[in-house]
Amino acid sequence: MIAKIVNFFGDTAYRKRRWILFIVVLVLVFVTDFLAPREHVEFFWDAIPGWAALFGFISCVLIIVASKFLGHQGGLMKDEDYYE
Amino acid sequence: MSEWVHPGLLFILGAPLIPLLSWRARQVLMILIPTFAIISVVDMTPGTFGVFEFAGIAIVAGQVDKLSLVFAHVLTIMSLIGMIYALHVERPSEHVAAFLYVGSALGVVFAGDWFTLLVFWEIMAFSSAYLVFASNNGPATRAGFRYLMVHITGGVLLLSGIVIHGLETGSMLFGPIAEDGSLAYVLILISFILNAAVPPLNAWLTDAYPEATVTGAVFMSAFTTKTAVYVLLRAFPGTEILIWLGTAMAIYGVIYAVLENDCRRLLAYHIVSQVGYMVAGVGIGTEMAVNGSASHAFAHIIYKGLLFMGAGAVIHMTGKRLLTDMGGLYRTMPWTVVLYMVGAFAISAFPFFSGFVSKSMVVAAAGEDHLAVVALLLTLASSGTFLHTGLKLPYYMFFGHDSGLKAKEPPANMLTAMGIAAVLCIAIGVFPGMLYSLLPYPVHFEPYTAAHVTGSLGILMFTALGFVLLLRHLDPERTISLDTDWFYRKGARLFMWFAEKPAALWEGAVSRLADTVVLPFLHGSARLGLKVDMNVVDACVNGVARTALAWGASLRRLQTGVVTHYAMAMVGGILIGITTYFVISGG
């Protein structure tokens, strides 16, 4: 059972089904956010449905781009034997 | 309860027994002592215990209240999980170190006075360092010495702070420190945030943890930083600078995790990131924030232990530690994958996993305090957490391209320990009331609102979308990342270069000068003195001759004395220099 579930996420045979599942989940998550009641919000963005999805996506891209920039252009990444 | 048993003492007294026992008996002891410790903590009632006087200082070994109890609960539970995970390790010395480490961490948590705190603080540093040395290879030994060097420095700062604090206030009782910017305040705060791995004082953690033994790193991931969060909660609640340091930390760990190729170093950077939430909570200092920090520490210890156990299991079975060398292990290690993923969902704060009910409390406390930037940045960091721990690391370790490694599942004891941790991660997430009832203040926080659940899922799933779209850019690279340890690693070289080049040149020049100019001059003047003495002896009074003789003799003594002493000092200096270098870089 466990091995089957793990295999579903690893085996290339299920590639297409994984994509379908992923897109269904994304749509579901996005849509349900519009249905959730918001009686108490701390910040204005908390009242915008779909904000979390947008913020999550932007955060992810920002983190990858900014970190890789710091690593490559900023000189943080060095050869493995740098300290040898 | 009439008798108070210090759970830390159980471990410390149990430690010397370990080498004396047979392997089987040792395994029994490794289960029994953490179990007794858990029972003693569960049974414990608030109060002050173990009070006595030592060298004129009032010692309070057992300051028991809700704050110390919540940490004691999770430390003892984690000690049992860690011991089960380490049951197969035959070498007793590692277990002795782990026992002392756990015992001293508990000692810090129950310490009611600064002296007790300091003593256990130091034992923690040395016993944990052994878990790095125990890896028994060159890089680990060097990292272990660097780890020790940093923690000894931190210990000295703490000692100085405590002495000044004690003299200023006349009290050695451990408690909140007045935010007056005095020297004692600064020294103690620095020594605490050093152990909490707040940048720029974070590099000891990410340098040493990945070098520790597979089982040792599990203990290290749980104890040092979280006892630091505990002492910060006690001594510095509401210290504003900690809000910003904590938030910066949460981002800092995430940035470095993108660049990292070593699986346990990636996880170590996420300790930095997660402890950032706790430190920020200490800084906010409201009841909800303190609850948030304490509960996040609780949840974190379990899921981080689980993640380190998962990565450790892979290292144990494959002998590989770099993501570039792994991949495709899901076929042969499905249980490890699933258990690791439970930890990954917990750290990423998926609904119904432990991080969801604790991390959101810190973010909510920031919201309640109208700290918009802090709330946004902490949310951004949680996207990064899922990106690395939940997506990048498992993808390249277990899935991704097939490395051809055919590793079996780890031994049963390792899987059992991971299973217990995984069950706890889910139990805390599903029944947060259990954890909330342990917190220092009454909890007025409901994690499971519809908007919170859909919002969290939105952040996480669209982070996953970003991951899938940018996957190619995330391929781990065969590099290491520069962190603040650069200063002392390269600093040691500079020191050595100085000892070898300018200092040696100077020494050579001085001895050459002594040989070619000073020595002949002194010899000559001594001879001259003698000659004058001899020639004038007939004509002059004996006293003059004796004076001249004495002068000449003392001159001779002076010249030889100066040169040899100087040479000795130089040799001594070079020797100290070389020893220091070898101590720092571990030869």
Side-chain angles (χ1 to χ4, degrees):
Chain A
M1 159 73 167
I2 287 288
K4 266 191 183 159
I5 295 173
V6 172
N7 196 49
F8 174 78
F9 286 99
D11 201 322
T12 42
Y14 301 105
R15 203 180 141 80
K16 204 170 163 193
R17 274 195 253 177
R18 277 203 300 267
W19 267 108
I20 295 168
L21 178 73
F22 185 46
I23 290 164
V24 168
V25 169
L26 286 180
V27 172
L28 269 180
V29 164
F30 194 74
V31 171
T32 48
D33 202 29
F34 282 81
L35 307 175
R38 292 174 163 78
E39 60 270 15
H40 169 76
V41 290
E42 209 64 65
F43 304 113
F44 71 88
W45 54 77
D46 289 337
I48 310 169
W51 157 265
L54 183 73
F55 189 76
F57 183 74
I58 293 175
S59 299
C60 173
V61 174
L62 197 70
I63 288 167
I64 296 175
V65 173
S67 310
K68 285 286 181 180
F69 177 81
L70 285 173
H72 287 290
Q73 270 71 41
L76 286 182
M77 287 167 110
K78 296 284 178 202
D79 284 340
E80 280 171 321
D81 56 358
Y82 176 76
Y83 284 117
E84 300 306 314
Chain B
M1 209 174 108
S2 54
E3 296 270 321
W4 185 73
V5 183
H6 194 311
L9 215 56
L10 291 176
F11 284 96
I12 291 173
L13 295 178
L17 296 178
I18 291 173
L20 306 175
L21 298 174
S22 71
W23 194 39
R24 282 279 157 221
R26 189 187 304 149
Q27 289 182 316
V28 173
L29 189 79
M30 283 167 64
I31 301 295
L32 274 184
I33 287 194
T35 309
F36 283 144
I38 293 174
I39 294 170
S40 86
V41 173
V42 170
D43 256 12
M44 219 176 268
T45 45
T48 306
F49 307 92
V51 184
F52 59 95
E53 191 152 307
F54 173 76
I57 304 168
I59 300 291
V60 184
Q63 180 67 51
V64 183
D65 58 12
K66 290 207 86 171
L67 185 61
S68 48
L69 276 176
V70 65
F71 278 84
H73 270 97
V74 68
L75 292 184
T76 47
I77 292 171
M78 190 60 218
S79 72
L80 178 62
I81 296 174
M83 291 300 167
I84 294 175
Y85 188 75
L87 276 181
H88 65 279
V89 177
E90 287 177 37
R91 203 160 41 158
S93 57
E94 256 185 75
H95 302 311
V96 174
F99 263 53
L100 290 176
Y101 185 29
V102 174
S104 52
L106 286 164
V108 168
V109 164
F110 287 117
D113 68 286
W114 287 103
F115 182 74
T116 310
L117 177 87
L118 178 75
V119 170
F120 285 122
W121 196 261
E122 296 290 347
I123 302 175
M124 236 168 69
F126 281 91
S127 52
S128 57
Y130 183 81
L131 298 173
V132 182
F133 288 118
S135 279
N136 218 359
N137 59 51
T141 310
R142 287 193 284 275
F145 275 118
R146 288 193 294 271
Y147 176 90
L148 258 188
M149 180 185 73
V150 172
H151 281 285
I152 289 169
T153 311
V156 171
L157 294 180
L158 180 60
L159 171 65
S160 335
I162 289 174
V163 169
I164 300 171
H165 178 75
L167 290 176
E168 274 175 359
T169 62
S171 162
M172 283 296 274
L173 288 181
F174 174 44
I177 301 184
E179 195 173 348
D180 52 5
S182 67
L183 186 61
Y185 175 85
V186 173
L187 286 172
I188 295 175
L189 182 61
I190 291 178
S191 72
F192 282 1
I193 64 175
L194 186 145
N195 264 34
V198 177
L201 306 174
N202 65 297
W204 60 266
L205 189 156
T206 45
D207 180 21
Y209 284 16
E211 303 297 341
T213 60
V214 162
T215 52
V218 174
F219 289 104
M220 298 182 85
S221 76
F223 291 86
T224 302
T225 46
K226 262 60 72 183
T227 48
V229 169
Y230 166 79
V231 291
L232 281 172
L233 275 169
R234 269 231 183 275
F236 297 98
T239 303
E240 203 191 330
I241 189 177
L242 292 177
I243 303 177
W244 303 104
L245 285 175
T247 310
M249 235 175 129
I251 306 283
Y252 190 92
V254 163
I255 289 175
Y256 271 94
V258 177
L259 311 177
E260 203 44 66
N261 186 24
D262 184 305
C263 62
R264 284 192 298 173
R265 191 159 282 135
L266 188 155
L267 292 175
Y269 273 114
H270 271 287
I271 297 181
V272 175
S273 179
Q274 293 299 302
V275 173
Y277 288 82
M278 302 166 212
V279 171
V282 177
I284 297 168
T286 58
E287 287 193 359
M288 190 199 238
V290 169
N291 274 346
S293 285
S295 64
H296 199 44
F298 194 109
H300 175 89
I301 285 174
I302 312 275
Y303 65 61
K304 201 75 213 186
L306 176 53
L307 293 170
F308 263 86
M309 288 191 281
V314 172
I315 295 173
H316 182 69
M317 298 314 290
T318 65
K320 307 278 184 201
R321 53 189 281 184
L322 300 180
L323 293 179
T324 41
D325 298 337
M326 297 174 180
L329 291 167
Y330 74 94
R331 287 190 196 89
T332 50
M333 303 179 84
W335 276 102
T336 310
V337 175
V338 169
L339 293 170
Y340 173 89
M341 284 314 292
V342 171
F345 288 140
I347 192 175
S348 310
F350 264 86
F352 307 111
F353 290 88
S354 59
F356 183 78
V357 304
S358 59
K359 190 193 283 185
S360 53
M361 214 192 290
V362 178
V363 181
E368 211 182 46
D369 241 26
H370 309 294
L371 296 160
V373 179
V374 173
L376 275 180
L377 288 175
L378 290 181
T379 312
L380 178 135
S382 69
S383 158
T385 306
F386 181 48
L387 171 66
H388 304 121
T389 327
L391 296 166
K392 175 187 164 178
L393 197 146
Y395 179 79
Y396 289 104
M397 189 151 74
F398 298 120
F399 302 101
H401 87 287
D402 196 344
S403 60
L405 291 171
K406 292 277 173 281
K408 285 201 285 282
E409 295 278 15
N413 66 304
M414 287 178 135
L415 281 178
T416 309
M418 292 166 69
I420 297 171
V423 167
L424 284 171
C425 285
I426 297 170
I428 294 169
V430 177
F431 308 107
M434 290 195 309
L435 172 56
Y436 288 176
S437 67
L438 290 174
L439 296 181
Y441 300 106
V443 177
H444 310 289
F445 177 71
E446 174 49 56
Y448 288 106
T449 64
H452 185 208
V453 172
T454 58
S456 302
L457 285 174
I459 289 187
L460 295 169
M461 291 321 294
F462 282 82
T463 296
L465 178 65
F467 169 77
V468 174
L469 296 178
L470 292 177
L471 184 57
R472 199 162 299 173
H473 300 279
L474 274 170
D475 278 352
E477 299 170 63
R478 289 197 158 272
T479 56
I480 56 161
S481 311
L482 294 191
D483 204 336
T484 47
D485 53 344
W486 182 86
F487 291 99
Y488 47 84
R489 294 176 82 168
K490 286 292 177 187
R493 303 249 152 138
L494 188 73
F495 179 81
M496 242 350 254
W497 176 84
F498 183 77
E500 276 164 0
K501 297 289 159 61
L505 280 178
W506 169 248
E507 192 255 355
V510 169
S511 36
R512 264 199 304 283
L513 189 75
D515 285 346
T516 53
V517 183
V518 181
L519 218 70
F521 170 74
L522 288 176
H523 275 296
S525 43
R527 265 196 301 276
L528 188 72
L530 205 66
K531 210 185 275 173
V532 168
D533 179 43
M534 302 254 284
N535 288 344
V536 183
V537 78
D538 294 334
C540 295
V541 229
N542 283 347
V544 177
R546 267 199 296 276
T547 312
L549 243 172
W551 187 63
S554 62
L555 244 186
R556 261 201 304 277
R557 214 168 33 238
L558 188 69
Q559 44 116 335
T560 52
V562 167
V563 175
T564 43
H565 283 165
Y566 190 80
M568 266 175 69
M570 283 308 296
V571 169
I574 299 276
L575 273 178
I576 291 170
I578 292 170
T579 329
T580 317
Y581 172 74
F582 280 113
V583 166
I584 290 168
S585 65

